[in-house]
Amino acid sequence: MSKTAAAAESHHVSRDLKNVNILGIILISIFALICVLPFYLIIIASFTSETFMIRNGYPLWLDLKNATLEAYKLCLKNPGAILRAYAVTGSATAVGTALAVFMATMTGYVLSRKDFQWRNGFSFFFFFTTLFNGGLVPWYLLCVRYLHFKNSFLALILPLMFSVWNMIIAKSFMAGIPQSISESAMIDGANDMRIFLSLILPLSKPLIATLGLFSALAYWNDWYNCMLFISNDSMFTLQYYLQRMLGSAEAMRIVAEKSGMALTSIPLESMQMAMTVIATGPIVLLYPFVQRYFVKGLTIGAVKG
């Protein structure tokens, strides 16, 4: 092939690659816009008056004439309770995420070891628990009567501490770490825990970031366990506290409508949007710090699995 033909072919390939990149950027931009648009509408609706939304629906742009902070004033009417709920949720998220990531990575490391002869049996046992369970009533009785979860901080931590899905991702990821690293450390006299803490975990930063984000989302958004086990107001999580507030406001409106009273001072729609912003704001700000590890850890776990 002549130099001219090679140069022409190279130019043709680079032009095709450029067109593919441009098309990919356009498609990704459209997809990103579709993902961001709902949250944008939630923010705009949280600052819009209730009467305007009932009459015109959710606005695409904020109309200053119909802008109001009434929804946020109602949600933050008791700032002490909000801050307390934030503290409870933040504490449960921090402690629970650390324990959940440690449990998942440690279990995944053990099950990925080829010298562990029972790894397939334990893997099947963990997977089997995702297909069948004992039911809500036996689980509730176990947690309340024997584990004493009632009004206990453990009720917000332990039920979500171990995730089989996270364990499978950890196992798949760590199966790609060369076993020669562990063998060389054993020759030098390191035990299994030292190998795991000093060698395996530093090599698993993408995995830790991925599992950390999954676990943090689960703990931050959890309200179900709080509803089941917590009756003390000072221990309510943020999600459950906001859900109770919205339920009380909706109940007041229903009672007013049935009694023939016109109760329009409670902006339920705007309150829902404001509560969403209050509850999801901190966890959204966490994502940029783990983004570079998140995609890598998730894709490696998927490919290895």
Side-chain angles (χ1 to χ4, degrees), residues 182-192 194-195:
S182 301
E183 293 174 351
S184 61
M186 288 182 180
I187 294 175
D188 293 336
N191 56 27
D192 290 330
R194 181 65 181 273
I195 294 172

Side-chain angles (χ1 to χ4, degrees), residues 60-124:
L60 187 60
W61 311 105
L62 181 62
D63 187 358
L64 296 179
K65 295 180 180 179
N66 296 285
T68 178
L69 295 175
E70 189 64 28
Y72 287 95
K73 290 180 181 179
L74 290 175
C75 293
L76 303 175
K77 191 174 183 180
N78 189 354
I82 290 287
L83 292 177
R84 186 168 57 246
Y86 259 113
V88 173
T89 302
S91 301
T93 301
V95 176
T97 299
L99 293 176
V101 171
F102 183 75
M103 290 290 293
T105 53
M106 186 167 57
T107 308
Y109 169 66
V110 172
L111 297 181
S112 67
R113 292 280 299 269
K114 296 181 180 179
D115 55 348
F116 180 49
Q117 59 180 352
W118 292 346
R119 65 183 185 277
N120 292 330
F122 276 97
S123 298
F124 175 77

Side-chain angles (χ1 to χ4, degrees), residues 74 77 244-266 268 271:
L74 290 175
K77 191 174 183 180
R244 277 172 56 94
M245 182 187 298
L246 182 63
S248 299
E250 190 171 0
M252 290 175 59
R253 173 174 286 190
I254 292 175
V255 171
E257 289 177 354
K258 290 185 176 181
S259 61
M261 299 172 57
L263 186 60
T264 59
S265 59
I266 302 180
L268 285 179
M271 280 183 64

Side-chain angles (χ1 to χ4, degrees), residues 97 101-102 105 166 169-170 173-174 201-217 283 286-298:
T97 299
V101 171
F102 183 75
T105 53
N166 290 349
I169 294 178
F173 181 91
M174 292 183 176
L201 283 185
L203 295 174
S204 305
K205 289 182 180 179
L207 171 68
I208 293 174
T210 302
L211 300 185
L213 184 60
F214 285 164
S215 301
L217 286 172
I283 204 68
L286 174 66
Y287 181 77
F289 296 100
V290 299
Q291 180 182 7
R292 59 174 180 162
Y293 297 112
F294 177 73
V295 176
K296 182 179 178 182
L298 185 59

Side-chain angles (χ1 to χ4, degrees), residues 17-196:
L17 182 61
K18 183 179 179 181
N19 294 334
V20 171
N21 290 336
I22 293 175
L23 179 61
I25 292 174
I26 294 174
L27 293 177
I28 292 175
S29 300
I30 295 174
F31 181 74
L33 180 62
I34 294 174
C35 294
V36 172
L37 183 60
F39 194 71
Y40 167 79
L41 292 176
I42 288 174
I43 296 176
I44 296 298
S46 66
F47 291 101
T48 305
S49 65
E50 182 84 356
T51 55
F52 180 84
M53 284 199 297
I54 294 176
R55 185 172 60 251
N56 301 303
Y58 291 96
L60 187 60
W61 311 105
L62 181 62
D63 187 358
L64 296 179
K65 295 180 180 179
N66 296 285
T68 178
L69 295 175
E70 189 64 28
Y72 287 95
K73 290 180 181 179
L74 290 175
C75 293
L76 303 175
K77 191 174 183 180
N78 189 354
I82 290 287
L83 292 177
R84 186 168 57 246
Y86 259 113
V88 173
T89 302
S91 301
T93 301
V95 176
T97 299
L99 293 176
V101 171
F102 183 75
M103 290 290 293
T105 53
M106 186 167 57
T107 308
Y109 169 66
V110 172
L111 297 181
S112 67
R113 292 280 299 269
K114 296 181 180 179
D115 55 348
F116 180 49
Q117 59 180 352
W118 292 346
R119 65 183 185 277
N120 292 330
F122 276 97
S123 298
F124 175 77
F125 170 77
F126 287 125
F127 176 73
F128 186 80
T129 61
T130 64
L131 304 178
F132 303 96
N133 59 68
L136 176 60
V137 174
W139 179 70
Y140 179 81
L141 293 177
L142 172 66
C143 293
V144 173
R145 291 188 178 182
Y146 300 100
L147 300 180
H148 307 290
F149 276 4
K150 195 66 176 178
N151 289 326
S152 172
F153 189 69
L154 292 176
L156 306 177
I157 301 295
L158 292 183
L160 298 176
M161 193 173 70
F162 187 79
S163 170
V164 177
W165 168 248
N166 290 349
M167 182 269 295
I168 293 174
I169 294 178
K171 177 186 175 183
S172 301
F173 181 91
M174 292 183 176
I177 298 178
Q179 193 171 354
S180 58
I181 296 177
S182 301
E183 293 174 351
S184 61
M186 288 182 180
I187 294 175
D188 293 336
N191 56 27
D192 290 330
M193 185 58 69
R194 181 65 181 273
I195 294 172
F196 174 70

